[in-house]
Amino acid sequence: MSASTSRQAPVIIITGTPGTGKTTHAQLLVQESPIPLQHINVGEWVKEKGLYEEYDEEWQSYTVDEDKLVDELEPLASAGGIILDWHTSEVFPERWADLVVVLRCDHTRLWDRLEKRNYPLKKIQENNEAEIMEVVLDEARSSYPPEIVVELRSENTEDLEANVARIVQWIEAWRKNQEPSEQ
Ligand SMILES: Nc1ncnc2c1ncn2[C@@H]1O[C@H](COP(=O)(O)OP(=O)(O)O)[C@@H](O)[C@H]1O
């Protein structure tokens, strides 16, 4: 049920606690992918397209209008060839997803990355705790079939390069699998 046979290119969800490296991975993947992929930084999309209900000053984040977001993304997901980069995944319907990558990072390293981003202390603490408690991983595992959910470490550049190479291999295999149904 996960992969749509009519799609010419897959939908890849890259999720993980803020700071684990989703955007960094997505950007490199766009460069390395054997087929064109559009990187959608969902948080940025929400802001640009006004797909939110309100801005929460205390948490310095937007309360997303999930129905609007799904409606906006539906045509792109149906066509395929996108990377959805967001810290939560359950809002994306299972039928969209061909691969769900969950990035993980040591929590002390994550703390440093979020501090550099000038996040308020409360937000750093919350994200740090979420990473320790595997909140994003649990969410992905409870939203998608186990065979399409992959947990990858994102501690350093070696990890980044190895992860992207692995996703590229997965794309090649996905393409091969699609061939018989396209003829
Ligand atoms: N695997 C990695 N190796 C080295 N630095 C990384 C890695 N992943 C992320 N970073 C760094 O951590 C910071 C946050 O990365 P980013 O991709 O913006 O995370 P996210 O999109 O998950 O919030 C950036 O400064 C990025 O360069």
Side-chain angles (χ1 to χ4, degrees), residues 17-25 85 113 117 154-157 159-160:
T17 309
T20 49
K22 299 179 294 295
T23 298
T24 311
H25 277 71
D85 156 3
R113 289 181 187 171
R117 240 181 215 180
S154 170
E155 312 290 348
N156 50 44
T157 312
D159 287 346
L160 166 68

Side-chain angles (χ1 to χ4, degrees), residues 66-177:
E66 295 187 352
D67 291 339
K68 270 195 197 163
L69 175 63
V70 169
D71 285 351
E72 190 81 25
L73 286 172
E74 182 76 59
L76 295 171
S78 301
I82 56 170
I83 306 167
L84 294 170
D85 156 3
W86 211 21
H87 59 84
T88 177
S89 62
E90 65 190 353
V91 60
F92 308 130
E94 186 185 321
R95 68 190 144 78
W96 288 4
D98 294 296
L99 178 68
V100 182
V101 174
V102 184
L103 296 178
R104 304 298 311 280
C105 180
D106 174 79
H107 67 96
T108 54
R109 181 171 283 123
L110 191 71
W111 188 287
D112 293 342
R113 289 181 187 171
L114 296 179
E115 227 172 25
K116 283 201 185 104
R117 240 181 215 180
N118 295 321
Y119 270 18
L121 182 61
K122 192 172 164 173
K123 202 165 160 176
I124 298 178
Q125 282 167 339
E126 191 210 34
N127 283 310
N128 206 253
E129 203 170 300
E131 183 59 15
I132 293 167
M133 300 300 287
E134 307 193 327
V135 171
V136 179
L137 180 64
D138 283 351
E139 186 195 302
R141 284 189 173 147
S142 59
S143 306
Y144 304 99
E147 64 273 18
I148 69 163
V149 179
V150 186
E151 179 187 4
L152 297 174
R153 305 296 313 174
S154 170
E155 312 290 348
N156 50 44
T157 312
E158 289 74 35
D159 287 346
L160 166 68
E161 286 168 1
N163 294 340
V164 169
R166 199 168 151 185
I167 301 169
V168 165
Q169 278 183 351
W170 176 90
I171 294 171
E172 302 278 19
W174 186 91
R175 273 211 301 190
K176 281 208 179 102
N177 269 338

